[in-house]
Amino acid sequence: VAVAALGRVARVTALCRALRRCEDEGDEPGWARAREEAEAALRELREVVRPLREPGYGEALRRKAERARKRRLRLQRRKHEARAAKEEEKARAAEREAKIDQWRAKCIQEVEEKNRERELKAAADSVLSEVRKKQADTKRMMDILRGLEKLRKLRKEAAARKGVCPPPSADEAFENQVESLKTLLKTRTELYEAEERALRVMLEGEQEEERKREMEKKQKKERERLLQQKLEMDSKLFGDPDEFPLAHLLQPFRDYYLQAEHSVAALIQIRHEWDQYLVPADHPEGSCIPPGWVLPSLPTNDTWATAVR
């Protein structure tokens, strides 16, 4: 209605300007025609604005505007909730992706460490196998030498039964040659044994380093777990440090309970006071000192919970 009324008002205004222009120019036919159009436009304007004069129309219009406003607010709220839900889902997805990436990196690192350990072990086994092969070759050559000595002895005995005796120079030359070969094989055997011992020491050192790295990882995880546990205990006892700054009213209590961490005299005094109550775990009139902080129990009713919060 308002839009239609504004359109009619604009038309009436234009016709009034046309009437004044015709009057100034002395154009009576044009003035009469413009007057008829202006009267018709006025009648249309009265018809358009007639509902606005009816009783209750303003209240109905106000209710309609209120419904439109509430609908607009409802749509905005839904849009805001949808945006917030989308951002929350995006944050959860990013957190899941971060955990997946962390898990994937951990798996890749474990696989790389296992592959590196496998390659090192394979290389060491290959070198050890080469050393063992050389040792086996040396042992086989020693067996061959002993076999040659036994064979020459048997042939010498057979020739002696037939009355044939080799000259002493031949026996001496054979023995010298055999002793030279035995000395060479013994030297190689000792060298191969030393090489094997060195390789075993190297492998044991690598294994010890690997065990040490694993132990350091476990100790690091344990330290992180204990640190997180300590932070949680401190948060329960003294409040969240991000929520309660140092100037908070709980700070004096925090300083009092943690004074032993900064003063040796306070540590000795507190320990002396605690030692007065040392009793065995099965003592009927007391209990032993707990190893850590005694955390407060959870609230048993809503009033207590409100006071704690």
Side-chain angles (χ1 to χ4, degrees):
V1 174
V3 176
L6 288 176
R8 300 302 189 280
V9 169
R11 178 169 175 76
V12 170
T13 303
L15 290 173
C16 290
R17 286 198 297 268
L19 282 172
R20 284 194 295 271
R21 187 174 58 255
C22 292
E23 185 177 0
D24 294 338
E25 294 176 355
D27 185 5
E28 295 183 1
W31 183 85
R33 189 167 54 253
R35 179 182 176 182
E36 293 177 358
E37 293 179 359
E39 291 176 352
L42 283 173
R43 286 193 297 271
E44 293 178 359
L45 179 60
R46 292 190 186 96
E47 290 295 329
V48 169
V49 299
R50 182 179 299 171
L52 297 177
R53 299 175 181 176
E54 295 178 359
Y57 182 81
E59 183 65 20
L61 186 62
R62 188 189 64 79
R63 289 196 300 269
K64 185 177 180 181
E66 183 67 18
R67 286 195 300 270
R69 187 183 66 83
K70 290 182 179 180
R71 181 173 178 274
R72 185 167 57 253
L73 291 176
R74 186 168 58 253
L75 292 176
Q76 291 178 356
R77 184 172 61 253
R78 289 179 180 176
K79 186 177 180 180
H80 179 71
E81 292 175 353
R83 187 185 301 110
K86 186 176 181 181
E87 292 178 355
E88 184 178 358
E89 180 62 25
K90 187 177 180 180
R92 286 198 298 266
E95 185 178 358
R96 288 195 300 268
E97 289 293 332
K99 290 182 179 179
I100 291 173
D101 293 339
Q102 185 179 2
W103 174 79
R104 186 184 296 113
K106 182 179 178 182
C107 292
I108 292 174
Q109 184 179 0
E110 292 178 355
V111 171
E112 289 178 352
E113 290 179 356
K114 290 181 180 179
N115 291 335
R116 186 165 56 251
E117 182 180 357
R118 192 182 300 111
E119 291 174 359
L120 179 62
K121 186 177 179 181
D125 291 340
S126 176
V127 176
L128 280 176
S129 65
E130 291 292 333
V131 173
R132 293 194 184 99
K133 183 179 179 182
K134 293 177 182 178
Q135 290 177 342
D137 293 340
T138 304
K139 185 178 179 181
R140 187 169 59 254
M141 293 178 68
M142 291 291 293
D143 294 338
I144 291 173
L145 282 178
R146 284 193 292 268
L148 287 175
E149 288 179 337
K150 186 175 181 180
L151 179 60
R152 190 177 189 283
K153 182 179 179 181
L154 292 175
R155 287 185 176 182
K156 186 177 179 181
E157 291 175 355
R161 285 194 298 269
K162 293 180 180 180
V164 178
C165 295
S169 58
D171 293 339
E172 185 179 357
F174 179 78
E175 291 176 358
N176 291 336
Q177 188 69 25
V178 170
E179 287 298 328
S180 176
L181 291 174
K182 284 183 178 180
T183 302
L184 177 62
L185 292 177
K186 183 180 179 180
T187 303
R188 288 189 177 183
T189 301
E190 294 175 353
L191 178 63
Y192 296 153
E193 289 177 353
E195 187 176 355
E196 183 181 5
R197 286 195 299 272
L199 287 173
R200 290 189 180 278
V201 170
M202 184 183 69
L203 286 177
E204 290 177 359
E206 290 292 337
Q207 292 175 357
E208 183 66 24
E209 289 292 332
E210 186 66 25
R211 286 193 294 269
K212 188 180 296 184
R213 286 194 293 269
E214 291 294 331
M215 183 62 65
E216 289 177 355
K217 289 181 181 179
K218 291 181 181 179
Q219 291 176 353
K220 182 179 179 182
K221 290 182 179 179
E222 184 66 17
R223 286 195 299 270
E224 292 176 352
R225 186 183 67 81
L226 293 176
L227 179 60
Q228 183 65 28
Q229 185 177 1
K230 182 178 181 299
L231 292 176
E232 292 177 357
M233 287 185 177
D234 291 345
S235 177
K236 291 179 180 179
L237 290 168
F238 308 112
D240 190 355
D242 296 332
E243 183 178 356
F244 301 104
L246 296 178
H248 194 266
L249 56 91
L250 291 178
Q251 186 61 30
F253 301 94
R254 183 181 181 90
D255 294 338
Y256 173 76
Y257 285 108
L258 298 180
Q259 59 180 328
E261 297 183 0
H262 309 286
S263 173
V264 178
L267 174 63
I268 295 174
Q269 177 64 26
I270 294 172
R271 180 59 188 266
H272 175 69
E273 294 175 358
W274 275 96
D275 289 346
Q276 296 178 359
Y277 301 96
L278 287 177
V279 293
D282 55 350
H283 198 278
E285 297 181 359
S287 60
C288 60
I289 298 175
W293 290 104
V294 179
L295 297 177
S297 59
L298 296 176
T300 56
N301 54 54
D302 297 337
T303 305
W304 183 9
T306 304
V308 171
R309 289 197 295 269

